[in-house]
Amino acid sequence: KNEVEQSPQNLTAQEGEFITINCSYSVGISALHWLQQHPGGGIVSLFMLSSGKKKHGRLIATINIQEKHSSLHITASHPRDSAVYICAVRRYTGTASKLTFGTGTRLQVTL
Amino acid sequence: DGGITQSPKYLFRKEGQNVTLSCEQNLNHDAMYWYRQDPGQGLRLIYYSQIVNDFQKGDIAEGYSVSREKKESFPLTVTSAQKNPTAFYLCASIAAGAGEGFFEAFFGQGTRLTVV
């Protein structure tokens, strides 16, 4: 079983829909990251969370540390949101910060 | 502008050949990481370096080698010993404070390696 599980693996939505992507993890973490990978492969960081909720434009990320669960929401989705969204958990090992990645959720938003 | 640059974007290699992927950053980050991405799998750690002239094996280091002669550069060599080298390779540059504090991660655009 992977330490970081994402669902769904694939998601198709129509423009304007509200989207939720879920991430569950099984280890103690320092923080959780949501990343966006564009079709060309480059990755950008969207959020870093250690508690509560963060909002940036139409994107909202929440985390429940007790339940080891995080969600990424996209309000009023748009075709330009089409990408792979990756959840990653960060652990500090005493000498280094290490990231463990989920397998990603591929989102396709159509007109 | 500060950033992290990987080259080339696409690379083709004949079986049995070694090939080196470049990763350069001008962010003044101490730590650099190499990941491999395969379809249906999350990014997996190959090697990482916390400081110049030092590096550590990640989860899937077999068949790979790295060097860290300069802070800005962390090249990855895919050797002929890597049995399944065709994959997407991502380099990351990370700045982190001690413990669980400050953390900043930047990723390169990736190199897609194909063995022909």
Side-chain angles (χ1 to χ4, degrees), chain B residues 12-110:
Chain B
F12 295 88
R13 187 195 94 175
K14 291 184 180 179
E15 275 194 52
Q17 287 182 339
N18 292 355
V19 63
T20 297
L21 283 57
S22 169
C23 180
E24 304 275 332
Q25 54 99 0
N26 60 1
L27 299 160
N28 201 34
H29 287 171
D30 285 315
M32 297 183 75
Y33 296 69
W34 273 106
Y35 296 94
R36 171 182 170 138
Q37 188 177 38
D38 296 283
Q41 296 196 47
L43 291 159
R44 293 182 290 166
L45 181 62
I46 304 172
Y47 266 98
Y48 65 101
S49 168
Q50 295 285 98
I51 197 168
V52 173
N53 292 323
D54 186 53
F55 46 83
Q56 308 294 331
K57 290 183 178 180
D59 301 318
I60 55 165
E62 186 175 351
Y64 299 98
S65 66
V66 293
S67 63
R68 188 84 187 276
E69 296 177 3
K70 299 186 299 182
K71 189 175 188 177
E72 301 80 17
S73 179
F74 190 40
L76 172 74
T77 297
V78 184
T79 76
S80 56
Q82 169 49 237
K83 299 303 178 191
N84 188 20
T86 295
F88 186 70
Y89 293 88
L90 267 169
C91 179
S93 169
I94 291 174
E100 303 177 358
F102 171 77
F103 183 91
E104 178 182 72
F106 286 83
F107 293 85
Q109 292 298 304

Side-chain angles (χ1 to χ4, degrees), chain A residues 42-98:
Chain A
I43 289 179
V44 295
S45 180
L46 297 175
F47 293 104
M48 180 177 71
L49 292 162
S50 55
S51 66
K53 176 179 172 178
K54 285 190 176 180
K55 184 176 189 291
H56 181 70
R58 294 180 294 106
L59 300 178
I60 303 166
T62 64
I63 188 168
N64 185 318
I65 296 293
Q66 287 73 30
E67 294 186 3
K68 292 185 164 61
H69 181 269
S70 176
S71 293
L72 176 69
H73 306 285
I74 304 175
T75 62
S77 60
H78 189 276
R80 65 174 174 266
D81 297 325
S82 298
V84 175
Y85 292 84
I86 300 171
C87 168
V89 297
R90 171 161 53 103
R91 287 175 286 173
Y92 183 69
T93 65
T95 56
S97 286
K98 287 193 176 179

